[in-house]
Amino acid sequence: MIPLPQVSQVAQTIQLALAPVFLLAGIGAFLNVCVSRLARIIDRARAVEEWVLSTRGKEHDRMVSEIRVLDRRMSVVNGAIFLSVASACAVCLVVILLFAGNLFNAHLGTPVAILFSLAMVLQAAAFGTFIQEIRLASRTIHIRNEVLYHKVEEEEVA
């Protein structure tokens, strides 16, 4: 029969699990940012898709180029989301192992350390991927010279 843990043991385990739970909250906030960016990229892609079908010449080529970049950005943000979710899953396993180790009096320090390290590596990779998306977006978002240096023709006064 498994000995029941004392309240003090459970309280101590909850204290140990508090840091990973805060980490989960941070990962959740980061996921919210990523999903918001993905939604904006998708909205822009839908608008550009319509313009691709209705434009010709240089404007058409510019729209095709933009939609290719948007497609790449979607893939990169999806990668960041995947890595963050994998990190969150690893953190959840850390919390589960902390409680399992306490309940069954098992020595799970090594698996907990490995999983927590894995969670940090995955989250670092997610941040790196997110930076890649931001750089991709900032490199492609620019105002064309013909708009920047556009001069309004003055109307002739009759």
Side-chain angles (χ1 to χ4, degrees):
M1 179 175 198
I2 298 172
L4 297 175
Q6 297 296 320
V7 172
S8 61
Q9 288 176 308
V10 173
Q12 184 181 16
T13 306
I14 290 171
Q15 287 174 343
L16 285 173
L18 200 55
V21 169
F22 277 119
L23 178 60
L24 279 176
I27 292 171
F30 178 70
L31 281 170
N32 190 27
V33 170
C34 288
V35 169
S36 294
R37 286 187 73 89
L38 180 61
R40 292 187 67 183
I41 294 166
I42 290 170
D43 290 344
R44 177 68 181 164
R46 287 182 179 152
V48 173
E49 277 179 353
E50 291 178 18
W51 296 332
V52 165
L53 300 175
S54 64
T55 58
R56 298 287 178 258
K58 286 184 180 181
E59 189 67 15
H60 174 77
D61 295 342
R62 193 173 72 78
M63 290 295 126
V64 169
S65 176
E66 183 176 347
I67 205 155
R68 286 180 180 152
V69 171
L70 291 169
D71 184 61
R72 176 76 180 123
R73 286 180 61 198
M74 279 188 258
S75 297
V76 173
V77 170
N78 276 323
I81 290 169
F82 172 81
L83 290 166
S84 287
V85 170
S87 175
C89 289
V91 172
C92 289
L93 288 173
V94 165
V95 173
I96 290 168
L97 286 180
L98 286 171
F99 278 96
N102 190 341
L103 280 174
F104 302 115
N105 202 20
H107 301 286
L108 299 173
T110 301
V112 166
I114 290 170
L115 274 173
F116 191 78
S117 297
L118 176 65
M120 291 294 92
V121 168
L122 289 168
Q123 193 57 45
F127 289 148
T129 305
F130 186 68
I131 288 171
Q132 180 185 1
E133 192 277 327
I134 289 171
R135 288 182 52 91
L136 184 60
S138 64
R139 261 188 283 144
T140 58
I141 296 172
H142 61 279
I143 300 171
R144 295 177 292 161
N145 284 337
E146 59 263 20
V147 175
L148 281 174
Y149 301 108
H150 179 75
K151 293 184 180 179
V152 177
E153 296 176 14
E154 294 183 29
E155 295 181 30
E156 293 180 23
V157 179

